Amino acid sequence: MKLFITAALLSCALSLSAQQALFNSSNIVSPQINDDASVTFRYFNPSAESVKVVGDFLAADPAVVIPTEIHMSKNDNGLWEGSTATPLAPELYSYAFYVDGVRTIDPANVYTSRDVTTLSSIFLIGDGCDGLYGIHDVPHGSLTKVWYHSDILDVDRRLSVYTPAGYESSGRNYPVLYLLHGMGGDENAWSELGRACQILDNLIARGLARPMIVVMPNGNVDMPAAPGESHLGLSVPNFNLPHTMDGTYEKVFPEIVNFVEANYRTRRDKASRAIAGLSMGGFHALHISKDYPDMMGYVGLFSSAIFPLKEENIPLYADMEEKIARQFENPPLLYWIAIGKDDFLYGINTHYRSLLDAKGYDYVYTESAEGHIWRNWRRYLASFAQLLFK
Amino acid sequence: MKLFITAALLSCALSLSAQQALFNSSNIVSPQINDDASVTFRYFNPSAESVKVVGDFLAADPAVVIPTEIHMSKNDNGLWEGSTATPLAPELYSYAFYVDGVRTIDPANVYTSRDVTTLSSIFLIGDGCDGLYGIHDVPHGSLTKVWYHSDILDVDRRLSVYTPAGYESSGRNYPVLYLLHGMGGDENAWSELGRACQILDNLIARGLARPMIVVMPNGNVDMPAAPGESHLGLSVPNFNLPHTMDGTYEKVFPEIVNFVEANYRTRRDKASRAIAGLSMGGFHALHISKDYPDMMGYVGLFSSAIFPLKEENIPLYADMEEKIARQFENPPLLYWIAIGKDDFLYGINTHYRSLLDAKGYDYVYTESAEGHIWRNWRRYLASFAQLLFK
């Protein structure tokens, strides 16, 4: 029983196999993170006349829709190249190329993220803000995609659940953070764009956050699961989904809490439950925490879309003043509001804070630079998580 | 406490916010699955001179590396369009565009898959082969990304674990299928490219497969986790990794079994354990099942790379004849070999079967059309899973 094939032959044979499987062998390095943390982008295209880089690391005038661009230069071989003018701060960044005006991801970079309807290329400088976005040699939690049944909606729906390192064997009960996405987002947004697992792994390993379960539901009641993960198949994602801010999600939310508490080892008191969300998720967190005033001990409103919609038609959003008064009779241990100075929701958050101030309700306010972007939300999560369950 | 903002304004405001977050609004529909299951591709690029589609749905002459292409035509507005000549069979397909010779994914399609080093666009016709790749209204299992510690390698490593619907609450113990990837693959390959969760959900719901746990480890002992999921950050994936076929993985494999059996409710006898793998994973499945002859009751070799490498230096691959004789003294309940007629490994599999035939060892052989491609491996999984634990 002898088979005379050597490692070299195997590698050759598997390269042939790779062709069968539609592989592509590109030798172009892009993005290249330089030693000084500047970044060089490369793109091979002899026939293109102009190639630009756009990215969330480029200076953007909040009044201008299109961010500043990097214009790439072409060499004689048709290879385009362009670099950032300066080093970049440790962070996770998104970018795309515009090739003669046509947007494309970077073909040399296999790492992408989908933010609602748009796929972008991504890269990481250092290990992100405070090193929290990197995967270090620390104990790692698990991330589970699990389905629960909504009796009210009569449909199975998908959740992402982070359980901290040691959960499987510790026998302990854990507090739970419910972490909500923004409009057009889904149950994958916080783990993929938000680096939630890395942030929690690293904070817990450093002793800066308590071990906790983080539940990331899908806030679009018309969508059982993220695009590509439901019966809708690989259909085009939609930014404006119906029934996202009409009170339905707030109404069905206790089903999620009940599922989590029935299926995970949780602590089941108000002081062991937190809810936070970004943008539309902040709106949801605000209303869920006020409508179930005994449920959530910690509330985080990240760049929150604080809009009562058609409150005359939607009982859940009516009587907001009275309901918040009831919530603050036995107030949350922490009511945390964060927003960036350039956020288009800055004004409405300022107004909301003035209403809380007028009533003397306690809250903690954090103001950051920049606008309605994921790097703010990752930082807000890192800050908020350190304040929980202590 | 009144905030006078209507839904229409909110939508407008969030569209502005979308710009902050680097969104792209494309109105191009591509791919378009037509009513007759033909597919139309579109790509906007006024300045390009030639745009072609390549994809694994196109006829490929096994002797020719580049598959047949679809040449797209440009209209006066710069929109390119091309369609398949015929309807496509229900399946998950991969494709890319070549724009003036430069490979790119389809910018209008947010769905991609990374196969080792290459990102491609994907689409699904119907719900795939026998409807098994779609997400139907059936009970869904969970998929967990979990880390275990390898004492031998002294590193934490990542696993994907599918637990069938009802696992959380049933209290039952389940049999386990260990499902291994090919060269350059990782612990995400079977769930992402292989549609393993959908195949299992659907087979179990139809009563065609027993509820089982499916463990998808990472077979590259030098890689703690898939590209982008380890301390290596978002580094360029590598096809030829060291130590993948030198006996190390087979040596450390019992650590994976021990972790799974310590942390999941499993049945822990040979008749309740199966191992299968594709290509390099078939090689691993062959050697693991022969080296631990009391461990695996079911063995699946999918397009298997049956190569003993440097057997003079690697004790694990030496004495193969004697070890397989020992394995077949108390034979597996099923030894299942599958390969495609066009697979570059067809000859070596035929040779291996002749060796088994010469000894009179029982096995089941399945021969399919086509070559070394994922649609064969998805079909092999669907066939193999129906034969297990019965």
Side-chain angles (χ1 to χ4, degrees):
Chain A
M1 191 174 275
K2 286 199 183 300
L3 300 159
F4 302 98
I5 297 193
T6 68
L9 267 175
L10 172 67
S11 184
C12 174
L14 284 169
S15 294
L16 177 61
S17 122
Q19 299 293 353
Q20 289 192 359
L22 191 71
F23 280 100
N24 176 46
S25 59
S26 160
N27 294 317
I28 294 162
V29 176
S30 180
Q32 176 180 295
I33 317 294
N34 302 311
D35 288 344
D36 68 351
S38 66
V39 179
T40 299
F41 303 92
R42 295 191 182 90
Y43 177 65
F44 176 74
N45 189 330
S47 70
E49 288 174 16
S50 112
V51 183
K52 296 183 284 197
V53 184
V54 298
D56 60 4
F57 47 89
L58 295 168
D61 178 344
V64 174
V65 163
I66 305 294
T68 308
E69 307 151 336
I70 297 174
H71 288 262
M72 299 171 85
S73 309
K74 181 163 63 168
N75 75 8
D76 293 343
N77 299 320
L79 183 67
W80 295 80
E81 190 173 297
S83 298
T84 61
T86 57
L88 299 184
E91 192 42 85
L92 179 69
Y93 295 103
S94 300
Y95 69 103
F97 296 154
Y98 277 88
V99 180
D100 295 337
V102 178
R103 189 183 189 281
T104 179
I105 62 162
D106 180 349
N109 182 358
V110 298
Y111 299 104
T112 62
S113 68
R114 180 185 58 77
D115 195 358
V116 188
T117 57
T118 305
L119 199 71
S120 299
S121 297
I122 58 172
F123 63 91
L124 191 56
I125 297 284
D127 283 311
C129 185
D130 296 329
L132 289 173
Y133 311 161
I135 295 158
H136 299 293
D137 185 16
V138 300
H140 299 296
S142 298
L143 180 67
T144 300
K145 308 290 176 178
V146 60
W147 295 74
Y148 76 99
H149 185 73
S150 168
D151 287 334
I152 300 173
L153 301 169
D154 193 23
V155 69
D156 288 340
R157 307 192 72 240
R158 195 164 172 266
L159 292 170
S160 295
V161 179
Y162 167 87
T163 48
Y167 173 85
E168 289 81 3
S169 56
S170 75
R172 286 175 50 199
N173 292 334
Y174 293 83
V176 183
L177 165 61
Y178 294 87
L179 191 57
L180 313 185
H181 61 76
M183 182 169 270
D186 55 61
E187 74 276 13
N188 296 336
W190 267 110
S191 59
E192 293 179 2
L193 296 154
R195 306 290 286 182
C197 301
Q198 289 77 32
I199 291 170
L200 268 290
D201 277 356
N202 288 317
L203 287 177
I204 293 168
R206 295 178 196 176
L208 296 174
R210 291 281 166 87
M212 66 182 84
I213 295 170
V214 182
V215 175
M216 295 160 273
N218 188 313
N220 308 303
V221 292
D222 256 28
M223 297 281 289
E229 303 288 350
S230 78
H231 66 283
L232 298 169
L234 305 183
S235 54
V236 178
N238 192 350
F239 183 68
N240 284 308
L241 292 162
H243 306 302
T244 47
M245 294 169 86
D246 70 353
T248 310
Y249 187 53
E250 294 87 339
K251 192 170 96 181
V252 304
F253 198 82
E255 294 186 325
I256 295 172
V257 177
N258 291 341
F259 172 81
V260 169
E261 299 195 348
N263 286 279
Y264 291 85
R265 294 198 319 278
T266 56
R267 299 205 325 241
R268 296 168 196 184
D269 58 303
K270 180 172 173 175
S272 302
R273 293 192 204 98
I275 189 165
L278 73 91
S279 193
M280 178 183 85
F283 172 92
H284 286 148
L286 186 160
H287 287 288
I288 290 164
S289 71
K290 92 175 189 336
D291 260 62
Y292 310 102
D294 300 325
M295 189 185 276
M296 300 296 177
Y298 298 82
V299 181
L301 310 183
F302 304 170
S303 309
S304 189
I306 307 178
F307 303 125
L309 297 177
K310 303 180 200 158
E311 64 172 71
E312 67 283 11
N313 298 327
I314 300 171
L316 200 133
Y317 302 136
D319 307 321
M320 191 153 156
E321 193 166 356
E322 295 78 358
K323 286 179 173 175
I324 290 189
R326 205 173 313 136
Q327 180 180 15
F328 278 87
E329 276 171 21
N330 177 19
L333 296 162
L334 176 66
Y335 200 87
W336 196 83
I337 298 174
I339 194 154
K341 285 191 173 82
D342 300 336
D343 198 306
F344 74 106
L345 295 168
Y346 185 87
I348 202 80
N349 273 261
T350 304
H351 180 59
Y352 183 65
R353 288 193 298 113
S354 74
L355 299 172
L356 298 177
D357 289 337
K359 298 288 183 180
Y361 301 148
D362 265 352
Y363 65 91
V364 174
Y365 178 59
T366 295
E367 192 169 289
S368 68
E370 303 190 303
H372 209 71
I373 51 176
W374 269 104
R375 64 175 165 261
N376 268 341
W377 303 326
R378 289 187 287 265
R379 289 169 187 191
Y380 299 162
L381 172 61
S383 298
F384 185 67
Q386 297 183 50
L387 304 172
L388 301 180
F389 313 126
K390 289 187 169 171
Chain B
M1 189 173 277
K2 288 200 182 300
L3 301 159
F4 301 99
I5 298 192
T6 68
L9 268 175
L10 172 65
S11 184
C12 173
L14 284 169
S15 294
L16 176 62
S17 123
Q19 299 292 353
Q20 291 192 0
L22 192 70
F23 280 101
N24 176 46
S25 59
S26 160
N27 294 317
I28 295 162
V29 176
S30 179
Q32 175 181 295
I33 316 294
N34 301 310
D35 289 344
D36 68 351
S38 67
V39 179
T40 300
F41 302 92
R42 296 191 181 89
Y43 176 65
F44 177 73
N45 190 331
S47 70
E49 287 174 15
S50 115
V51 184
K52 296 182 284 195
V53 185
V54 298
D56 59 5
F57 47 89
L58 295 168
D61 177 344
V64 174
V65 163
I66 305 295
T68 307
E69 308 151 335
I70 296 173
H71 288 263
M72 298 171 86
S73 309
K74 180 163 64 169
N75 73 11
D76 292 344
N77 298 320
L79 183 68
W80 295 80
E81 190 173 297
S83 299
T84 60
T86 57
L88 299 184
E91 191 43 83
L92 179 69
Y93 295 103
S94 300
Y95 69 102
F97 295 154
Y98 277 87
V99 181
D100 295 337
V102 178
R103 189 184 190 280
T104 178
I105 62 161
D106 179 350
N109 182 359
V110 299
Y111 299 104
T112 62
S113 68
R114 180 184 58 78
D115 195 358
V116 188
T117 57
T118 304
L119 199 70
S120 298
S121 297
I122 58 171
F123 63 91
L124 191 57
I125 298 284
D127 283 311
C129 186
D130 296 330
L132 289 173
Y133 311 161
I135 294 158
H136 300 292
D137 184 17
V138 300
H140 298 296
S142 299
L143 180 67
T144 300
K145 308 289 175 177
V146 60
W147 295 74
Y148 75 99
H149 185 73
S150 168
D151 287 334
I152 299 172
L153 300 169
D154 193 22
V155 68
D156 288 339
R157 309 192 72 240
R158 196 164 172 265
L159 292 170
S160 296
V161 180
Y162 168 88
T163 48
Y167 173 85
E168 289 81 1
S169 56
S170 74
R172 288 175 48 199
N173 291 336
Y174 293 83
V176 182
L177 165 62
Y178 295 87
L179 190 57
L180 313 185
H181 61 75
M183 182 168 270
D186 55 62
E187 74 276 15
N188 296 336
W190 268 111
S191 59
E192 293 179 2
L193 296 154
R195 305 291 285 183
C197 300
Q198 289 76 33
I199 291 170
L200 267 291
D201 278 356
N202 289 318
L203 288 177
I204 293 168
R206 296 178 195 176
L208 296 174
R210 292 280 165 88
M212 67 183 84
I213 295 170
V214 183
V215 175
M216 294 160 273
N218 188 313
N220 309 303
V221 292
D222 256 27
M223 296 281 289
E229 304 288 350
S230 78
H231 67 282
L232 298 169
L234 306 183
S235 53
V236 178
N238 192 350
F239 183 69
N240 285 308
L241 292 161
H243 305 303
T244 48
M245 294 169 86
D246 70 353
T248 309
Y249 187 53
E250 294 87 341
K251 192 171 95 180
V252 303
F253 198 82
E255 294 185 324
I256 295 173
V257 177
N258 290 341
F259 172 81
V260 169
E261 300 195 347
N263 287 280
Y264 292 84
R265 295 197 319 278
T266 55
R267 299 204 325 240
R268 297 169 194 182
D269 58 303
K270 180 173 173 176
S272 302
R273 293 192 204 97
I275 190 165
L278 74 91
S279 193
M280 179 183 84
F283 172 91
H284 286 148
L286 187 161
H287 287 288
I288 290 164
S289 70
K290 91 174 188 337
D291 259 61
Y292 310 103
D294 300 324
M295 189 185 277
M296 299 297 176
Y298 298 83
V299 180
L301 309 184
F302 304 171
S303 309
S304 189
I306 307 179
F307 303 125
L309 297 177
K310 302 181 200 158
E311 64 173 69
E312 66 284 9
N313 298 326
I314 300 171
L316 200 133
Y317 301 136
D319 308 320
M320 192 156 156
E321 192 166 356
E322 295 77 358
K323 286 179 174 177
I324 289 188
R326 206 174 313 135
Q327 180 180 14
F328 278 86
E329 276 170 23
N330 176 18
L333 296 162
L334 176 67
Y335 200 88
W336 196 83
I337 298 174
I339 195 156
K341 286 190 172 84
D342 300 335
D343 197 307
F344 74 105
L345 295 168
Y346 185 87
I348 202 82
N349 274 261
T350 304
H351 180 60
Y352 183 64
R353 287 193 299 112
S354 75
L355 299 173
L356 298 178
D357 290 337
K359 298 289 184 179
Y361 301 149
D362 265 352
Y363 65 92
V364 174
Y365 177 60
T366 295
E367 192 169 286
S368 68
E370 303 189 303
H372 210 71
I373 51 176
W374 269 102
R375 64 174 165 262
N376 268 341
W377 303 325
R378 288 187 287 264
R379 290 169 186 190
Y380 298 161
L381 172 61
S383 298
F384 185 67
Q386 297 184 49
L387 305 172
L388 301 179
F389 313 126
K390 288 184 170 172

